[in-house]
């Protein structure tokens, strides 16, 4: 954090999207810069500050220029603890030329505590994501909390839930008197008891925007892999027993086939956008009709899910797990599908009656299934799914990309900070 001393000229407070003529704001909101104006120009110090700021502005591409007056200065919307200058070799010379007497490092307020399960390891938060958290929070692991409860319990104002951990139960909630928000990394919150959490006056947020593209990608990947039998094909190609490639080993086309999407939310719509590029006929079923989205991708609304099931070559499940969607696809629904159809699940395993799906695959009621999610995860090693050759199962990797998990963490951080600062919450989840 850098504070520039007053010089009798204009003063610019950078933060929250505007400049304000006042003193320092809260620890999470603003950084203030004061520079001296002489006549029509700036003093030597002011000029150096402008050089530095303009270089930073060019590097980060904010939305406005620096004005050496008392004008409001719109900037990129964000919460600033201070100007976090990028570690860019081209800018280091500017840092070093700034006189030390003109720069003061401000000792800000103590960072609010955020609880995580652990750093790294099998189930902990990845180290690069912890580094993001540490820019805004005092990161406390569950082990550290348990070893020093009396000191830590009052510091923790938020919990960052990564890969469904740590477990949020009544005991934990009762032990955190200052807890204000649980920031879930991911869109699904079926692992959280929303009503119980709400009874403690704690808010819950999720990250629906960060997950949409990567999850839609895995849906398309599963559809293509199943249609063209890629897993089987790979096994044939690398098998030591393979002497020739059979000419009658065939898959089916995705292009111009009919895709039925059950759940036209952010992810369902992203799937539809991709399907449009494959010239697919797109059907969708949703609680509410999405006219704007259906017009954009040329989709057709099916008020009854049964109509979609009967017409689709591929059925993709993209719904949240709720009591209403638990085992949404069972024996009856599978029986309505074409015998040449494929079921794809990228939502939650419990959306499908897995016993009914085993039976349908064994008896060729449907052609195939492709699942990124099961119940439980992982499946027991003797589960019937693992003995079938007309199913593809991936280990819940819908958001398992470098880009997605970083964006999820950033979105979760923005949600948590909004709650702690009393700002509008971008992605709050409410109990039903």
């Amino acid at each position: 954090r850098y504070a520039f001393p007053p010089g009798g000229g204009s003063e610019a407070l950078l933060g929250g999207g505007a400049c304000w003529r006042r003193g320092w704001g809260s620890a999470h909101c603003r950084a203030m810069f004061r520079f001296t104006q002489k006549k029509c120009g700036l003093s030597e110090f002011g000029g150096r500050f402008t050089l530095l700021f303009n270089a930073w502005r060019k590097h980060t591409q904010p939305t406005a220029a620096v004005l050496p007056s008392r004008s409001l200065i719109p900037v990129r919307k964000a919460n600033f603890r201070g100007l976090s200058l990028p570690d860019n070799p081209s800018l280091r010379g500017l840092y070093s030329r700034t006189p030390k007497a003109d720069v003061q490092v401000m000792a800000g307020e103590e960072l609010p505590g955020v609880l995580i399960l652990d750093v790294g390891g099998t189930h902990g938060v990845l180290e690069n994501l912890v580094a993001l958290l540490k820019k805004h929070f005092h990161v406390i692991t569950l082990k550290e909390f348990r070893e020093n409860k009396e000191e830590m319990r009052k510091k923790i104002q938020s919990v960052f839930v990564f890969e469904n951990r740590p477990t949020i139960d009544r005991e934990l909630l009762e032990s955190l008197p200052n807890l204000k928000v649980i920031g879930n990394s991911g869109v699904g919150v079926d692992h959280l008891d929303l009503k119980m959490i709400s009874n403690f006056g704690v808010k819950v947020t999720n990250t629906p925007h960060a997950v949409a593209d990567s999850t839609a990608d895995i849906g398309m990947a599963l559809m293509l892999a199943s249609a063209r039998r890629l897993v089987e094909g790979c096994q044939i190609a690398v098998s030591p027993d393979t002497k020739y490639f059979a000419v009658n080993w065939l898959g089916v086309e995705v292009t111009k086939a009919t895709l039925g999407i059950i759940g036209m939310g952010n992810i369902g719509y992203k799937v539809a956008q991709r399907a449009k590029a494959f010239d697919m006929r797109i059907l969708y079923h949703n609680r509410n009709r999405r006219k704007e989205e259906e017009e954009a991708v040329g989709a057709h609304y099916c008020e009854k899910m049964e109509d979609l099931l009967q017409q689709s070559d591929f059925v993709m499940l993209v719904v949240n797990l709720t009591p209403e969607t638990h085992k949404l696809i069972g024996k009856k629904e599978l029986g309505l599908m074409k015998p040449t159809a494929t079921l794809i699940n990228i939502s939650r395993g419990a959306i499908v009656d897995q016993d009914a799906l085993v039976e349908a695959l064994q008896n060729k009621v449907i052609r195939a299934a492709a699942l990124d999610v099961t119940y439980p995860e992982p499946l027991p090693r003797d589960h019937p799914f693992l003995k079938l050759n007309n199913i593809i199962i991936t280990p819940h990797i819908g958001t398992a990309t470098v880009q997605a998990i970083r964006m999820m963490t950033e979105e979760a951080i923005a949600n948590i900070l909004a709650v702690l600062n009393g700002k509008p919450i971008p992605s709050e989840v409410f109990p039903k």
Side-chain angles (χ1 to χ4, degrees), residues 228-239:
R228 301 305 299 270
R229 301 170 67 182
L230 291 187
V231 175
E232 293 175 80
C234 180
Q235 292 169 346
I236 291 171
V238 303
S239 172

Side-chain angles (χ1 to χ4, degrees), residues 73-146:
I73 306 177
V75 295
R76 174 183 293 178
K77 291 182 179 179
N79 287 331
F80 289 82
R81 287 194 58 82
L83 179 58
S84 179
L85 296 170
D87 186 16
N88 188 320
S90 65
L91 301 181
R92 288 174 188 157
L94 289 173
Y95 302 169
S96 62
R97 288 200 301 270
T98 305
K100 291 183 179 180
D102 294 330
V103 180
Q104 303 170 14
V105 178
M106 304 298 292
E109 299 173 15
E110 184 178 1
L111 293 172
V114 62
L115 180 68
I116 64 172
L117 177 70
D118 199 0
V119 178
T122 304
H123 302 300
V125 181
L126 303 183
E127 291 184 10
N128 63 314
L129 304 183
V130 173
L132 288 178
L133 291 169
K134 284 183 175 180
K135 292 180 179 179
H136 306 277
F137 308 103
H138 173 200
V139 175
I140 301 168
T141 67
L142 192 60
K143 181 181 179 182
E144 291 170 338
F145 166 65
R146 287 172 174 167

